């Protein structure tokens, strides 16, 4: 019932904003829409289809063929579609987190029964009472997050990607390998980067089937191959389906080439636009490679480090994608921020959450101000806006690494005890070495 | 008039030593081909001025004869020695002066060289040139050009003040070329051609590349022979920022057979031509019919120069114009190589001489239907001696007497502007005015916009009389970043006496810092839209019977005059784009890399290290003390 209330509330807010004059303003904010997912470009693609021109023959439309065919039929109900999609995302996250919490609680119970935790860690244990509201908080964090609302009101197709990712998380946590692979393939098809979620998905499913991650065991390899085949197979099916819908492979360079080579330097909240606007032509290719590899780079070390905690790994991956992807929008941020309530028990280990949240809030407020000063008033220049995107990204990086730190630290305490002592018996401080 | 053509040679030789080699060649070739046949008549030379259907009141045929008679005495022995072959090229020059209602004056020069040869014939190399400039002929045959139109314009033609120009052109440089259908690599040819033309005309045509070249599907049809419809062989490009100046005029003048030494071209002094409100020079090359039955084709090179002298800057505010005042030269002779050389002065609005005085007056009057309107011209034939009077120099003088009435609005004109503020987006408005009182007609609108204005074609609206007016044909080619411009062509029906407004929204792109011009905050020039239309002519709509015309001629509008082709160019646009800070590349690279490194560093830190209890090592003093104590054998601290 509280979930229904939250849904109704969020739909009301969105409907009001859709009807207000703000909707048009929001839909043109560069923070909310990127060249990849702007609604204006979807409409343009549809108009081009109507004119008999391939939407991929120009450089305005970069959605995947499935999206254009989806909106070909529902373009008149786009607002409702986007609200429903947001609702689906929230419900999927709600169910997924509920499921995850049950697992966590069960594990904790077994561990307690097996007396595996040190005795002073009782205060780190999680009670069913505090865990009860977490799924609801997650749904609220997603639905009532201003970032999500803005993104939905702008009709950014980022909401669709988020929904696919949320469904992937749900199906993974429910243990359905096939659905998980299909949704992962869909998410990858939409924007390449979710490819990195393959590792946490696989790890979670392995863990659920009690298969140890051990390269010597044939069961491990059997399942890995099975999952990869399902993933690659569904990806192929989707890509071929798009080929048959459109009758040409034009969409591959126009969508994936566009994501990877970053030709459109429209300002956004990411790191790419100003960097490549100011880049020396000679080094451009090198730095594009470096920046794109950066997104995929953390997957393997993170999976090694967090192989026991695939859900946290999913969170980390989504956050890294939304920070380092080539055309980030606030909608991407909203997805990983929805997970923050899940880690509310890490709060006591966070080092600079106050500072980081202040930075993020201040930057969010400053984005429109400095944009106005640069683009409309002409009294500031591009450096001002760029400085804010830098700060915003530093804030996000600090936030994510802080959660990572806190998570690792809690795990350390769970195995070593909460109140550690030095050899001489004085109170110890933990350091990373 | 059975006179050898060559007899003008002595005169030419006297004209300038520069022409000597040419005449050695000409004479040489004549001797070879001379078989005693004589030039039959010069009467059968077709006199077709395609834009203006001149009904001459004096026979054209006498032109050459008159000139020859004047030289007869000195060339008598020449005639005995040689008889020439039929010349297969001819040159005509003319100048039209039109007083404009604003008090300004419009002078238009046309030089036409026609040559019965085939540049595109396989295996046949054209190597002997007489009147036709060799530089252009070689370009035509090397790049298999069917038709070439190039114009350089400084200033914008103000249709509402000046009426219609004889040959319209957009501000800046415009080039459009039809290639022969045997060309396989059209883009390669186009690229080379623009570079060669850039050299010939000393212009920045080499800046034409794939980002400003389009293939219009309907707006630019071949003007010459050949019904080419496959627009794959057409290339169109404009450089709206191109500045036209003396260095473009000099090579242009060199293409004329007489250069600027004789004929009308002596008037082209750059210090006067560029001290004007509008200056446009153009070269048009096309295949045309040789005779009226069109049994064989010839190549026509038409060089035009249009200039509008401003009432206040050139005329010092006095409505008094003379050749000397306009060009600081007077005319003394025609180009000896020209088969006809004439000056036309538009006297349509001055039938009884009540509006202005024209002196010396000319007995020759010609009427023609020009741009859908019946105009009357005074004609001065420069090949006739009496034109120059006793001073042996012609200085036409126009002196206004009364105020002129309002000009008849041109049936079609257009204007364009960018609306919106800020550097994020904008809207292009194109207003098309149909001033015809009762006829609706369709126009073709062509817009070629650079890729950095991201056009949203779904925002395209066409409204006339506050109602939506859906274009019946839209050809849209979206842009590719850094590769291809937008091309938007549409056929819009303009209701009578209306304004049709075409709007389309665009977004301004942020470019790489090296892609901006050296003065990025000046803005980027966007080329003119081109509006091509078959406009119902004024003659056909002429319902007021103020003019004396035979009754039998005015009941049914005649079909051939009922509409005429018209091309209108809008203003070029100046659009500002957001700019990055050009002094920042190092800073930006360093700062962004720092942020990435912060991310990398913090993750690396957490990934590779493990938590350990911090065991502080003893301070240095304590450690030293302990070493000493150990040496002394005392218990450690």
């Amino acid at each position: 019932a509280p979930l229904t209330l939250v849904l109704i509330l969020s739909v009301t807010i969105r409907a009001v904003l859709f009807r207000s004059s703000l909707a048009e303003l929001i839909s043109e904010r560069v923070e909310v829409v990127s060249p990849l997912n702007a609604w204006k470009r979807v409409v343009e693609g549809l108009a081009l289809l109507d004119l008999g021109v391939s939407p991929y023959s120009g450089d305005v439309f970069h959605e995947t063929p499935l999206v254009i065919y989806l909106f070909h039929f529902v373009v008149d109900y786009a607002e409702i579609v986007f609200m429903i999609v947001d609702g689906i995302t929230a419900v999927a996250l709600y169910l997924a987190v509920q499921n995850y919490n049950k697992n966590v609680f069960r594990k904790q119970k077994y561990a307690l029964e097996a007396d595996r935790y040190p005795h002073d860690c009782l205060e780190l244990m999680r009670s069913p009472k505090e865990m009860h509201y977490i799924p609801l908080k997650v749904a609220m964090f997603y639905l009532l997050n201003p970032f999500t609302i803005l993104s939905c009101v702008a009709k950014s197709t980022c909401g669709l990607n988020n929904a696919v990712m949320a469904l992937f998380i749900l199906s993974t946590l429910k243990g359905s390998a096939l659905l998980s692979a299909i949704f992962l393939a869909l998410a990858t098809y939409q924007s390449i980067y979710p490819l990195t979620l393959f590792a946490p998905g696989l790890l979670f499913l392995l863990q659920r089937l009690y298969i140890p991650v051990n390269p010597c065991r044939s069961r491990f390899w059997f399942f890995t191959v099975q999952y990869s085949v399902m993933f690659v197979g569904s990806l192929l099916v989707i890509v071929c389906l798009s080929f048959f819908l459109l009758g040409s492979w034009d969409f591959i360079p126009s969508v994936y080439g566009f994501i990877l080579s970053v030709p459109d330097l429209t300002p956004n909240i990411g790191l790419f636009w100003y960097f490549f606007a100011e880049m020396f032509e000679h080094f451009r290719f090198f730095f594009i490679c470096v920046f794109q590899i950066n997104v995929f780079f953390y997957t393997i070390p993170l999976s090694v480090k967090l192989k026991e905690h695939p859900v946290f790994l999913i969170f980390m991956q989504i956050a890294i994608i939304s920070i380092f992807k080539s055309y980030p929008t606030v909608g991407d941020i909203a997805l990983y921020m929805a997970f923050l309530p899940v880690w509310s028990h890490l709060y006591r280990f966070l080092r600079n959450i106050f500072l980081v949240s202040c930075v993020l809030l201040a930057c969010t407020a400053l984005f429109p101000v400095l944009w106005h000063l640069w683009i409309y008033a002409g009294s500031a220049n591009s450096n001002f806006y760029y400085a804010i995107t830098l700060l915003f990204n530093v804030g996000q990086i600090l936030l994510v690494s802080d959660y990572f730190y806190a998570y690792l630290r809690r795990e350390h305490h769970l195995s070593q005890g909460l109140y550690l002592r030095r050899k001489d018996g004085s109170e110890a401080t933990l350091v990373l070495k | 008039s059975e006179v050898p053509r060559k007899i003008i040679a002595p005169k030419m030789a006297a004209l300038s030593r520069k022409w000597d080699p040419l005449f050695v060649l000409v004479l040489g070739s004549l001797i070879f081909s001379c078989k005693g046949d004589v030039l039959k008549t010069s009467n059968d030379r077709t006199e077709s001025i395609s834009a203006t259907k001149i009904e001459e009141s004096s026979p054209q045929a006498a032109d050459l004869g008159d000139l020859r008679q004047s030289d007869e005495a000195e060339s008598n022995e020449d005639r005995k020695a040689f008889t020439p072959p039929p010349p297969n090229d001819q040159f005509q020059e003319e100048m039209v002066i039109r007083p404009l209602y604003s008090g300004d004056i419009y002078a238009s020069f046309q030089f036409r060289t026609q040559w019965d040869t085939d540049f595109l014939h396989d295996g046949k190399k054209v190597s002997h040139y007489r009147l036709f400039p060799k530089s252009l002929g070689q370009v035509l045959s090397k790049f298999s050009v069917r038709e070439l139109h190039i114009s350089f314009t400084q200033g914008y033609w103000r249709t509402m003040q000046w009426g219609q120009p004889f040959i319209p052109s957009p501000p800046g440089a415009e080039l459009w070329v039809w290639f022969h259908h045997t060309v396989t690599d059209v883009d390669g040819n186009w690229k080379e051609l623009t570079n060669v033309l850039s050299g010939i005309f000393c212009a920045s045509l080499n800046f034409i590349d794939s980002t400003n070249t389009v293939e219009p599907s309907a707006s630019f049809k071949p003007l010459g022979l050949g019904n080419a419809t496959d627009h794959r062989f057409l290339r169109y490009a404009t450089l709206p920022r191109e500045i036209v100046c003396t260095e473009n005029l000099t090579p242009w003048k060199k293409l004329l057979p007489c250069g600027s030494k004789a004929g009308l071209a002596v008037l082209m002094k750059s210090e006067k031509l560029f001290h004007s409100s509008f200056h446009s020079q153009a070269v048009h090359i096309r295949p045309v019919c040789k005779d009226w039955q069109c049994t064989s084709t010839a190549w026509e090179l038409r060089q035009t120069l249009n200039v509008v002298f401003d009432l206040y800057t050139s005329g010092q505010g006095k409505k008094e114009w003379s050749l000397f005042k306009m060009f600081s030269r007077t005319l003394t002779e025609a180009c000896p190589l020209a088969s006809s050389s004439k000056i036309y002065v538009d006297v349509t609005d001055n039938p009884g001489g009540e509006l202005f005085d024209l002196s010396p007056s000319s007995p020759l009057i010609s009427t023609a239907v020009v741009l859908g309107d019946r105009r009357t011209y005074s004609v001065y034939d420069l090949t006739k001696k009496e034109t120059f009077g006793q001073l042996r120099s012609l200085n036409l003088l126009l002196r206004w007497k009364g105020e002129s009435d309002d000009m008849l609005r041109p049936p079609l004109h257009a204007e364009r502007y960018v609306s919106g503020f800020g550097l994020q987006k904008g809207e292009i408005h194109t207003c098309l005015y149909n001033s015809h009182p009762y006829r609706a007609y369709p126009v073709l609108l062509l817009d070629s916009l650079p890729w950095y204005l991201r056009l949203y074609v779904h925002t395209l609206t066409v409204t006339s009389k506050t109602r939506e007016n859906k274009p019946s044909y839209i050809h849209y080619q979206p842009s590719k970043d850094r590769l291809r411009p937008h091309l938007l062509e549409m056929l819009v029906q303009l209701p009578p006496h209306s304004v049709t407004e075409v709007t389309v929204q665009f977004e301004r792109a942020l470019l790489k810092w090296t892609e901006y011009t050296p003065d990025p905050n000046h803005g980027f020039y966007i080329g003119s839209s081109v509006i091509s239309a078959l406009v119902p002519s004024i003659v056909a709509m002429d319902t007021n019977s103020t003019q004396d015309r035979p009754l039998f001629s005015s009941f049914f509008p005649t079909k051939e005059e009922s509409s005429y082709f018209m091309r209108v160019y809008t203003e070029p646009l100046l659009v500002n784009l957001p700019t990055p800070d050009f002094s920042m590349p190092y800073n930006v690279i360093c700062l962004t890399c720092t942020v990435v490194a912060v991310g990398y560093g913090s993750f690396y830190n957490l990934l590779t290290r493990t938590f350990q209890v911090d065991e502080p090592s003893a301070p240095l003093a304590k450690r030293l003390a302990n070493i000493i104590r150990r040496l002394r054998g005392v218990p450690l601290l």
Side-chain angles (χ1 to χ4, degrees):
Chain A
L3 180 63
T4 326
L5 266 179
V6 171
L7 278 175
I8 291 171
L9 179 63
S10 63
V11 166
T12 319
I13 294 175
R14 281 164 172 75
V16 167
L17 280 176
F18 270 129
R19 290 282 155 264
S20 74
S21 56
L22 282 175
E24 200 190 341
L25 180 76
I26 291 168
S27 67
E28 269 158 7
R29 302 292 321 162
V30 284
E31 299 88 2
V32 183
V33 296
S34 74
L36 265 182
N37 54 25
W39 176 248
K40 204 170 178 184
R41 297 189 183 231
V42 176
V43 178
E44 176 73 9
L46 291 171
L48 288 180
L49 265 189
D50 284 347
L51 280 177
V53 182
S54 161
Y56 298 106
S57 63
D59 251 345
V60 166
F61 185 75
H62 303 287
E63 299 284 350
T64 51
L66 284 188
V67 169
I68 196 170
Y69 270 88
L70 169 71
F71 284 112
H72 190 63
F73 297 111
V74 296
V75 68
D76 298 333
Y77 313 103
E79 298 175 1
I80 298 169
V81 168
F82 278 104
M83 287 195 278
I84 291 174
V85 162
D86 266 12
I88 290 174
T89 316
V91 172
L93 288 177
Y94 179 87
L95 295 175
V97 170
Q98 210 171 31
N99 198 295
Y100 172 65
N101 275 345
K102 264 185 217 154
N103 281 350
V104 167
F105 190 67
R106 200 186 310 133
K107 256 191 212 163
Q108 182 181 302
K109 210 168 83 182
Y110 289 148
L112 274 177
E113 279 167 6
D115 211 8
R116 236 182 280 150
Y117 292 135
H119 295 290
D120 53 357
C121 283
L122 275 179
E123 56 186 293
L124 287 183
M125 292 301 110
R126 310 182 59 189
S127 67
K129 201 179 146 197
E130 58 142 346
M131 281 165 84
H132 179 71
Y133 284 110
I134 284 179
L136 185 66
K137 279 188 201 159
V138 168
M140 264 174 65
F141 250 66
Y142 187 75
L143 282 178
L144 301 181
N145 187 339
F147 287 162
T148 326
I149 295 174
L150 288 178
S151 181
C152 177
V153 171
K155 293 190 261 188
S156 154
T157 53
C158 177
L160 291 178
N161 299 359
N162 285 352
V164 174
M165 299 245 254
L167 287 172
F168 158 71
I169 294 166
L170 175 64
S171 50
T172 311
L173 293 187
K174 289 274 185 195
S176 154
L178 179 64
L179 276 180
S180 154
I182 289 175
F183 282 120
L184 182 59
L186 256 179
T188 309
Y189 165 78
Q190 283 287 346
S191 62
I192 299 184
Y193 295 115
L195 183 65
T196 57
L197 294 177
F198 180 80
L202 179 67
L203 284 175
F204 186 87
L205 291 169
L206 285 171
Q207 201 183 57
R208 208 184 140 83
L209 296 169
Y210 303 108
I211 303 171
V213 184
N214 185 346
C216 303
R217 298 279 288 274
S218 62
R219 269 189 80 197
F220 166 72
W221 283 113
F222 176 72
F223 187 77
T224 308
V225 169
Q226 192 187 355
Y227 190 64
S228 332
V229 166
M230 284 192 285
F231 169 68
V232 173
S234 38
L235 192 60
L236 273 180
V237 167
I238 296 167
V239 169
C240 292
L241 184 67
S242 347
F243 171 72
F244 288 120
L245 281 177
L246 223 70
S248 81
W249 293 110
D250 283 351
F251 72 94
I252 302 263
S254 189
V255 178
Y256 305 117
F258 183 78
I259 293 175
L260 292 177
S261 67
V262 206
D264 191 324
L265 302 172
T266 311
N268 57 36
I269 57 170
L271 296 169
F272 279 69
W273 64 276
Y274 206 51
F275 187 70
F276 288 106
E278 297 268 7
M279 178 50 66
F280 298 99
E281 206 54 35
H282 186 67
F283 297 111
R284 199 180 151 78
F285 181 69
F286 169 72
F287 273 105
I288 282 189
C289 292
V290 169
F291 271 52
Q292 296 288 6
I293 289 170
N294 190 38
V295 188
F296 299 95
F297 179 74
Y298 302 103
T299 313
I300 292 170
L302 276 177
S303 334
V304 171
K305 186 92 178 177
L306 292 171
K307 65 176 182 236
E308 302 298 325
H309 313 284
V311 177
F312 190 74
L313 180 54
I314 291 180
F315 164 74
M316 286 295 294
Q317 282 295 347
I318 295 177
I320 286 173
I321 289 172
S322 74
I323 297 169
F324 293 120
K325 76 189 286 195
S326 44
Y327 302 98
T329 57
V330 291
D332 300 304
I333 296 166
L335 184 64
Y336 82 80
M337 283 201 166
F339 279 91
L340 294 184
V342 182
W343 322 118
S344 56
H345 57 283
L346 301 178
Y347 187 73
R348 60 182 290 167
F349 298 117
L350 292 175
R351 288 171 298 182
N352 37 22
I353 184 70
F354 175 70
L355 179 73
V356 167
S357 40
C358 285
V359 164
L360 291 183
L361 282 176
C363 288
T364 313
L366 280 175
F367 271 130
V369 173
L370 293 180
W371 178 258
H372 181 85
L373 288 184
W374 172 26
I375 294 295
Y376 293 101
S379 51
N381 68 9
S382 46
N383 294 340
F384 289 68
Y385 191 77
Y386 164 68
I388 288 304
T389 62
L390 271 191
L391 195 58
F392 189 69
N393 280 297
V394 170
Q396 283 191 81
I397 288 170
L398 290 182
L399 179 77
V400 174
S401 59
D402 216 11
Y403 268 94
F404 190 24
Y405 169 84
Y407 197 87
L408 291 179
R409 182 150 180 194
R410 182 173 177 269
E411 290 306 311
H412 182 77
H413 282 307
L414 282 180
S415 60
Q416 305 293 325
L418 184 57
Y419 300 106
L420 299 173
R421 305 258 158 212
R422 283 194 198 128
K423 280 180 216 151
D424 56 357
S426 60
E427 200 175 305
T429 46
L430 266 183
V431 287
L432 280 168
K433 270 187 182 165
Chain B
S1 58
E2 297 181 0
V3 184
R5 172 136 181 86
K6 183 175 45 59
I7 54 165
I8 53 172
K11 183 173 176 176
M12 277 304 299
L15 183 77
S16 158
R17 294 193 60 80
K18 206 179 144 192
W19 291 95
D20 286 352
L22 174 72
F23 279 93
V24 171
L25 276 176
V26 172
L27 291 175
S29 70
L30 294 184
I31 292 165
F32 269 101
S33 54
C34 165
K35 285 178 187 167
D37 52 1
V38 288
L39 176 63
K40 272 189 171 175
T41 50
S42 55
N43 300 41
D44 58 5
R45 190 171 298 130
T46 50
E47 188 69 49
S48 63
I49 304 168
S50 53
T52 63
K53 298 175 197 151
I54 308 274
E55 303 153 305
E56 288 290 338
S57 51
S58 71
Q60 279 290 311
D63 295 347
L64 215 55
D66 290 334
L67 175 67
R68 282 167 198 146
Q69 272 152 28
S70 67
D71 292 330
E72 206 161 3
E74 56 194 47
S75 58
N76 253 338
E77 54 283 325
D78 277 9
R79 191 170 16 148
K80 278 166 197 156
F82 307 109
T83 39
N88 60 356
D89 52 356
Q90 56 163 326
F91 173 67
Q92 294 168 313
E93 56 178 10
E94 68 177 47
M95 172 186 177
V96 186
I97 295 176
R98 187 161 96 193
L100 300 171
Y101 290 91
S102 56
D104 306 336
I105 195 147
Y106 173 34
S108 172
F109 294 87
Q110 307 242 351
F111 301 92
R112 190 172 83 144
T113 310
Q114 198 175 327
W115 190 15
D116 315 342
T117 189
D118 194 2
F119 290 114
L120 303 179
H121 197 272
D122 293 330
K124 193 184 120 192
K125 202 164 177 240
V126 180
S127 54
H128 181 70
Y129 291 81
R130 206 175 81 98
L131 295 176
F132 202 91
K134 189 170 183 179
S135 55
L136 286 181
Q138 286 177 333
V139 168
L140 291 185
S141 53
K142 176 152 197 317
F143 299 108
S144 305
V145 174
R146 245 200 112 62
E147 219 172 89
L148 183 145
H149 302 269
I150 183 166
S151 74
F152 300 96
T153 307
Q154 186 74 33
Y156 177 68
W157 182 269
R158 290 168 180 79
T159 312
M160 285 311 279
Q161 286 177 38
W162 296 342
Q164 297 161 42
F166 295 117
I167 293 182
S169 57
E174 183 198 43
L175 175 64
W176 57 286
V177 173
W178 276 93
F179 288 96
H180 200 255
H181 60 82
T182 51
V183 177
T184 46
D185 179 18
V186 179
D187 286 313
N189 269 18
W190 169 249
K191 180 90 200 133
E192 274 186 65
L193 175 68
T194 52
N195 280 288
V196 167
L197 289 177
S198 164
I200 292 179
F201 292 102
C202 291
S204 325
L205 296 173
N206 51 328
F207 282 100
I208 292 177
D209 53 12
S210 66
T211 60
N212 48 21
T213 302
V214 290
E215 300 167 28
S217 68
S219 292
F220 288 89
K221 289 290 161 211
L223 296 180
L225 285 175
N227 222 350
T229 46
D230 191 351
H231 61 267
R232 279 180 300 140
F233 298 103
L234 169 66
R235 291 292 180 279
Y236 173 81
T238 52
L239 295 172
R241 206 185 183 169
E242 180 73 10
I243 289 166
V244 185
C245 203
T246 321
E247 79 257 22
N248 307 109
L249 182 68
T250 313
W252 184 89
K253 280 196 293 199
K254 278 188 183 156
L255 299 176
L256 295 170
C258 292
S260 52
K261 297 284 193 294
L264 292 173
V266 297
L267 300 177
M268 292 174 190
K269 291 292 163 200
S270 50
E271 75 268 17
K272 279 291 183 187
L273 285 186
F274 291 105
H275 186 64
S276 58
S277 340
F278 177 84
H279 168 92
S280 165
Q281 61 188 65
V283 170
H284 302 277
I285 301 174
R286 57 180 183 178
V288 292
C289 284
K290 195 174 145 193
D291 45 36
W292 65 274
Q293 284 170 321
C294 215
T295 48
S296 62
T297 60
W299 282 85
E300 183 198 74
L301 162 70
R302 192 182 279 253
Q303 284 179 261
T304 63
L305 189 140
N306 295 298
V307 61
V308 174
F309 291 102
D310 185 68
L311 169 68
Y312 297 101
T313 57
S314 311
Q316 283 104 39
K318 274 184 276 178
K319 284 183 150 188
E320 191 180 307
W321 294 103
S322 67
L323 284 188
F324 188 77
K325 202 167 168 184
M326 286 190 276
F327 302 104
S328 73
R329 290 288 184 285
T330 55
L331 284 170
T332 51
E333 62 185 344
C335 170
L337 293 171
S339 59
S340 95
S341 175
K342 292 202 176 76
I343 295 179
Y344 295 86
V345 181
D346 192 334
V347 292
T348 316
D349 308 308
N350 191 30
E354 62 270 5
L355 205 56
F356 54 80
D357 266 341
L358 183 61
S359 68
S361 59
S362 167
L364 291 177
I365 293 290
S366 113
T367 59
V369 175
V370 184
L371 301 168
D373 197 3
R374 185 169 279 115
R375 314 292 296 181
T376 316
Y377 294 94
S378 280
V379 185
Y380 297 83
D381 193 339
L382 298 188
T383 52
K384 289 202 183 107
K385 217 171 182 177
E386 58 266 26
T387 312
F388 297 103
Q390 286 169 348
L391 293 169
R392 295 190 68 82
S393 101
L394 175 66
N395 184 21
L396 279 177
L397 186 70
L398 265 107
R399 189 182 285 118
W400 254 262
K401 283 194 287 199
E403 278 298 305
S404 52
D405 351 319
D406 280 343
M407 186 182 70
L408 194 66
R409 282 168 71 94
L412 171 67
H413 93 274
E415 53 193 39
R416 189 161 70 144
Y417 57 92
V418 172
S419 68
F421 62 98
L423 298 176
Q424 192 180 2
K425 49 182 187 147
E427 197 169 35
I428 295 179
H429 292 248
T430 312
C431 299
L432 309 170
Y433 295 82
N434 175 4
S435 320
H436 200 284
Y438 57 86
R439 282 273 293 272
Y441 53 86
V443 297
L444 266 169
L445 175 66
L446 170 98
D447 250 322
S448 158
L449 297 165
W451 63 268
Y452 39 79
L453 303 188
R454 300 187 198 286
L455 212 60
Y456 288 100
V457 79
H458 73 268
T459 59
L460 177 76
T461 57
V462 184
T463 47
S464 32
K465 295 183 170 171
T466 69
R467 228 177 306 139
E468 203 197 336
N469 179 358
K470 214 170 154 43
S472 49
Y473 165 79
I474 294 184
H475 171 76
Y476 178 63
Q477 187 191 42
S479 72
K480 275 271 185 207
D481 283 5
R482 301 174 179 88
L483 267 185
R484 196 175 72 184
H486 299 275
L487 169 68
L488 180 60
E489 259 186 307
M490 54 189 157
L491 188 69
V492 186
Q493 182 82 12
L494 302 186
H497 201 69
S498 69
V499 187
T500 303
E501 196 174 15
V502 180
T503 64
V504 63
Q505 287 175 18
F506 65 89
E507 211 173 81
R508 300 161 207 247
L510 181 75
L511 311 182
K512 294 178 197 165
W513 69 306
T514 46
E515 288 171 332
Y516 287 91
T517 49
D519 50 349
N521 289 308
H522 177 74
F524 286 75
Y525 283 91
I526 313 298
S528 311
S529 320
V530 187
I531 295 134
S532 322
L534 276 177
V535 179
S537 77
I538 301 163
V539 179
M541 82 177 194
D542 200 359
T543 46
N544 67 337
S545 36
T546 49
Q547 284 180 341
D548 298 336
R549 273 199 284 131
L551 289 177
F552 59 79
S553 73
S554 59
F555 186 62
F556 293 115
T558 43
K559 183 63 191 155
E560 60 186 331
E561 290 173 347
S562 67
S563 64
Y564 67 100
F565 181 78
M566 185 171 172
R567 187 165 283 153
V568 176
Y569 292 94
T570 63
E571 302 92 333
L573 298 175
L574 185 58
V575 176
N576 269 304
L577 296 184
T579 52
D581 185 340
F582 294 96
S583 58
M584 285 279 280
Y586 284 105
N587 304 355
V588 168
I589 292 170
C590 292
L591 287 170
T592 311
C593 286
T594 308
V595 171
V596 173
V598 164
Y600 178 80
S602 53
F603 290 130
Y604 180 81
N605 213 5
L606 290 163
L607 283 168
T608 53
R609 300 184 184 194
T610 51
F611 284 103
Q612 276 168 19
V613 172
D614 185 25
E615 295 285 355
S617 57
L620 186 66
K622 198 176 170 184
R623 270 190 283 167
L624 282 175
N626 275 341
I627 292 169
I628 296 166
R629 275 168 173 257
R630 193 176 290 140
L631 289 174
R632 285 168 57 200
V634 211
L636 302 180
L637 275 175

